[in-house]
PDB file of all heavy atoms in Angstrom:
ATOM      1  N   ALA A 763      51.624 157.281-143.818  1.00  0.00           N
ATOM      2  CA  ALA A 763      51.644 157.133-142.365  1.00  0.00           C
ATOM      3  C   ALA A 763      51.679 155.653-141.982  1.00  0.00           C
ATOM      4  O   ALA A 763      51.066 154.826-142.634  1.00  0.00           O
ATOM      5  CB  ALA A 763      50.405 157.796-141.765  1.00  0.00           C
ATOM      6  N   GLN A 764      52.387 155.368-140.930  1.00  0.00           N
ATOM      7  CA  GLN A 764      52.413 154.000-140.415  1.00  0.00           C
ATOM      8  C   GLN A 764      51.094 153.726-139.690  1.00  0.00           C
ATOM      9  O   GLN A 764      50.541 154.635-139.066  1.00  0.00           O
ATOM     10  CB  GLN A 764      53.582 153.808-139.454  1.00  0.00           C
ATOM     11  CG  GLN A 764      54.932 153.834-140.146  1.00  0.00           C
ATOM     12  CD  GLN A 764      55.016 152.809-141.244  1.00  0.00           C
ATOM     13  OE1 GLN A 764      54.794 151.626-141.016  1.00  0.00           O
ATOM     14  NE2 GLN A 764      55.324 153.244-142.465  1.00  0.00           N
ATOM     15  N   PRO A 765      50.631 152.495-139.771  1.00  0.00           N
ATOM     16  CA  PRO A 765      49.389 152.174-139.067  1.00  0.00           C
ATOM     17  C   PRO A 765      49.533 152.436-137.567  1.00  0.00           C
ATOM     18  O   PRO A 765      50.538 152.078-136.973  1.00  0.00           O
ATOM     19  CB  PRO A 765      49.212 150.672-139.325  1.00  0.00           C
ATOM     20  CG  PRO A 765      50.086 150.360-140.475  1.00  0.00           C
ATOM     21  CD  PRO A 765      51.189 151.367-140.474  1.00  0.00           C
ATOM     22  N   GLN A 766      48.549 153.098-137.004  1.00  0.00           N
ATOM     23  CA  GLN A 766      48.544 153.346-135.571  1.00  0.00           C
ATOM     24  C   GLN A 766      47.146 153.158-135.049  1.00  0.00           C
ATOM     25  O   GLN A 766      46.201 153.161-135.820  1.00  0.00           O
ATOM     26  CB  GLN A 766      48.960 154.804-135.285  1.00  0.00           C
ATOM     27  CG  GLN A 766      50.431 155.077-135.544  1.00  0.00           C
ATOM     28  CD  GLN A 766      50.711 156.573-135.568  1.00  0.00           C
ATOM     29  OE1 GLN A 766      50.031 157.333-134.906  1.00  0.00           O
ATOM     30  NE2 GLN A 766      51.713 156.953-136.329  1.00  0.00           N
ATOM     31  N   GLY A 767      47.042 153.031-133.754  1.00  0.00           N
ATOM     32  CA  GLY A 767      45.719 152.879-133.163  1.00  0.00           C
ATOM     33  C   GLY A 767      44.907 154.157-133.317  1.00  0.00           C
ATOM     34  O   GLY A 767      45.454 155.252-133.360  1.00  0.00           O
ATOM     35  N   PHE A 768      43.605 153.961-133.403  1.00  0.00           N
ATOM     36  CA  PHE A 768      42.732 155.119-133.550  1.00  0.00           C
ATOM     37  C   PHE A 768      42.543 155.781-132.193  1.00  0.00           C
ATOM     38  O   PHE A 768      42.436 155.119-131.172  1.00  0.00           O
ATOM     39  CB  PHE A 768      41.377 154.661-134.092  1.00  0.00           C
ATOM     40  CG  PHE A 768      40.385 155.772-134.140  1.00  0.00           C
ATOM     41  CD1 PHE A 768      40.421 156.687-135.168  1.00  0.00           C
ATOM     42  CD2 PHE A 768      39.438 155.910-133.140  1.00  0.00           C
ATOM     43  CE1 PHE A 768      39.507 157.728-135.205  1.00  0.00           C
ATOM     44  CE2 PHE A 768      38.521 156.942-133.183  1.00  0.00           C
ATOM     45  CZ  PHE A 768      38.551 157.862-134.217  1.00  0.00           C
ATOM     46  N   SER A 769      42.537 157.084-132.181  1.00  0.00           N
ATOM     47  CA  SER A 769      42.203 157.800-130.951  1.00  0.00           C
ATOM     48  C   SER A 769      41.426 159.046-131.311  1.00  0.00           C
ATOM     49  O   SER A 769      41.492 159.528-132.436  1.00  0.00           O
ATOM     50  CB  SER A 769      43.473 158.196-130.195  1.00  0.00           C
ATOM     51  OG  SER A 769      44.142 159.217-130.905  1.00  0.00           O
ATOM     52  N   ARG A 770      40.699 159.536-130.366  1.00  0.00           N
ATOM     53  CA  ARG A 770      39.924 160.744-130.614  1.00  0.00           C
ATOM     54  C   ARG A 770      40.858 161.907-130.951  1.00  0.00           C
ATOM     55  O   ARG A 770      40.591 162.705-131.840  1.00  0.00           O
ATOM     56  CB  ARG A 770      39.080 161.074-129.363  1.00  0.00           C
ATOM     57  CG  ARG A 770      38.286 162.341-129.542  1.00  0.00           C
ATOM     58  CD  ARG A 770      37.207 162.500-128.505  1.00  0.00           C
ATOM     59  NE  ARG A 770      36.538 163.763-128.692  1.00  0.00           N
ATOM     60  CZ  ARG A 770      35.594 163.976-129.602  1.00  0.00           C
ATOM     61  NH1 ARG A 770      35.234 162.992-130.387  1.00  0.00           N
ATOM     62  NH2 ARG A 770      35.042 165.150-129.729  1.00  0.00           N
ATOM     63  N   ARG A 771      41.985 161.933-130.274  1.00  0.00           N
ATOM     64  CA  ARG A 771      42.923 163.013-130.501  1.00  0.00           C
ATOM     65  C   ARG A 771      43.425 162.992-131.953  1.00  0.00           C
ATOM     66  O   ARG A 771      43.549 164.008-132.609  1.00  0.00           O
ATOM     67  CB  ARG A 771      44.095 162.831-129.531  1.00  0.00           C
ATOM     68  CG  ARG A 771      45.123 163.923-129.641  1.00  0.00           C
ATOM     69  CD  ARG A 771      46.112 163.772-128.522  1.00  0.00           C
ATOM     70  NE  ARG A 771      47.246 164.650-128.749  1.00  0.00           N
ATOM     71  CZ  ARG A 771      48.229 164.761-127.884  1.00  0.00           C
ATOM     72  NH1 ARG A 771      48.221 164.064-126.779  1.00  0.00           N
ATOM     73  NH2 ARG A 771      49.235 165.569-128.141  1.00  0.00           N
ATOM     74  N   LYS A 772      43.682 161.769-132.428  1.00  0.00           N
ATOM     75  CA  LYS A 772      44.170 161.659-133.794  1.00  0.00           C
ATOM     76  C   LYS A 772      43.085 162.071-134.788  1.00  0.00           C
ATOM     77  O   LYS A 772      43.359 162.707-135.797  1.00  0.00           O
ATOM     78  CB  LYS A 772      44.589 160.222-134.067  1.00  0.00           C
ATOM     79  CG  LYS A 772      45.318 160.082-135.383  1.00  0.00           C
ATOM     80  CD  LYS A 772      46.115 158.813-135.378  1.00  0.00           C
ATOM     81  CE  LYS A 772      45.857 158.068-136.652  1.00  0.00           C
ATOM     82  NZ  LYS A 772      46.146 156.684-136.536  1.00  0.00           N
ATOM     83  N   PHE A 773      41.862 161.705-134.459  1.00  0.00           N
ATOM     84  CA  PHE A 773      40.768 162.076-135.356  1.00  0.00           C
ATOM     85  C   PHE A 773      40.724 163.595-135.517  1.00  0.00           C
ATOM     86  O   PHE A 773      40.609 164.120-136.601  1.00  0.00           O
ATOM     87  CB  PHE A 773      39.434 161.565-134.797  1.00  0.00           C
ATOM     88  CG  PHE A 773      38.260 162.065-135.571  1.00  0.00           C
ATOM     89  CD1 PHE A 773      37.955 161.525-136.808  1.00  0.00           C
ATOM     90  CD2 PHE A 773      37.481 163.098-135.077  1.00  0.00           C
ATOM     91  CE1 PHE A 773      36.891 162.007-137.535  1.00  0.00           C
ATOM     92  CE2 PHE A 773      36.406 163.577-135.800  1.00  0.00           C
ATOM     93  CZ  PHE A 773      36.103 163.037-137.032  1.00  0.00           C
ATOM     94  N   LEU A 774      40.881 164.288-134.404  1.00  0.00           N
ATOM     95  CA  LEU A 774      40.852 165.750-134.459  1.00  0.00           C
ATOM     96  C   LEU A 774      42.011 166.277-135.295  1.00  0.00           C
ATOM     97  O   LEU A 774      41.867 167.212-136.073  1.00  0.00           O
ATOM     98  CB  LEU A 774      40.902 166.328-133.035  1.00  0.00           C
ATOM     99  CG  LEU A 774      39.618 166.094-132.242  1.00  0.00           C
ATOM    100  CD1 LEU A 774      39.821 166.481-130.778  1.00  0.00           C
ATOM    101  CD2 LEU A 774      38.461 166.891-132.841  1.00  0.00           C
ATOM    102  N   SER A 775      43.166 165.642-135.133  1.00  0.00           N
ATOM    103  CA  SER A 775      44.315 166.132-135.879  1.00  0.00           C
ATOM    104  C   SER A 775      44.136 165.869-137.372  1.00  0.00           C
ATOM    105  O   SER A 775      44.587 166.626-138.210  1.00  0.00           O
ATOM    106  CB  SER A 775      45.609 165.502-135.362  1.00  0.00           C
ATOM    107  OG  SER A 775      45.771 164.197-135.844  1.00  0.00           O
ATOM    108  N   VAL A 776      43.442 164.781-137.732  1.00  0.00           N
ATOM    109  CA  VAL A 776      43.164 164.511-139.140  1.00  0.00           C
ATOM    110  C   VAL A 776      42.290 165.623-139.708  1.00  0.00           C
ATOM    111  O   VAL A 776      42.540 166.163-140.777  1.00  0.00           O
ATOM    112  CB  VAL A 776      42.454 163.150-139.315  1.00  0.00           C
ATOM    113  CG1 VAL A 776      42.019 162.969-140.755  1.00  0.00           C
ATOM    114  CG2 VAL A 776      43.382 162.021-138.914  1.00  0.00           C
TER     115      VAL A 776
END
Side-chain angles (χ1 to χ4, degrees):
Chain A
Q764 290 304 305
Q766 289 167 29
F768 174 79
S769 71
R770 178 165 177 80
R771 182 172 169 177
K772 190 160 132 202
F773 172 76
L774 290 171
S775 78
V776 173

